[in-house]
């Protein structure tokens, strides 16, 4: 599978935000995400890092 887990980076720590993300797209200055189970979230911030090998997305609040 090609999904990844999304984490929020803050104060040197990573906190799980959404598991099994399979869709991610910019939407009105925010980041829309949807996972395999249909759960949707909109994050207000930016992408800090994406590791395809580790299936990991790191987000950071503005």
């Amino acid at each position: 599978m090609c999904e990844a887990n999304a984490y929020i980076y803050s104060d040197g720590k990573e906190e799980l935000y959404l598991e099994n993300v399979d869709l991610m797209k910019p939407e009105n200055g925010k980041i829309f995400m949807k996972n395999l189970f249909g759960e949707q979230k909109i994050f207000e911030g930016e992408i800090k890092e994406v590791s395809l090998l580790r299936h990991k997305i790191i987000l950071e609040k503005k």
Side-chain angles (χ1 to χ4, degrees):
M1 302 296 264
C2 297
E3 72 276 1
N5 292 334
Y7 298 85
I8 297 175
Y9 181 81
S10 178
D11 296 327
K13 298 178 185 172
E14 297 173 359
E15 180 181 326
L16 182 62
Y17 183 67
L18 185 62
E19 291 182 291
N20 301 310
V21 175
D22 72 337
L23 176 66
M24 186 174 183
K25 63 181 180 178
E27 192 172 279
N28 300 323
K30 300 175 184 174
I31 301 168
F32 171 84
M33 288 174 274
K34 182 177 151 196
N35 71 9
L36 288 176
F37 310 106
E39 185 179 359
Q40 300 177 6
K41 288 191 172 185
I42 297 175
F43 181 75
E44 194 166 335
E46 57 191 27
I47 299 169
K48 179 176 172 59
E49 178 183 327
V50 175
S51 173
L52 299 176
L53 190 60
R54 294 170 36 212
H55 304 272
K56 194 172 191 178
I57 302 162
I58 308 295
L59 306 167
E60 192 167 38
K61 292 181 180 176
K62 289 184 180 177

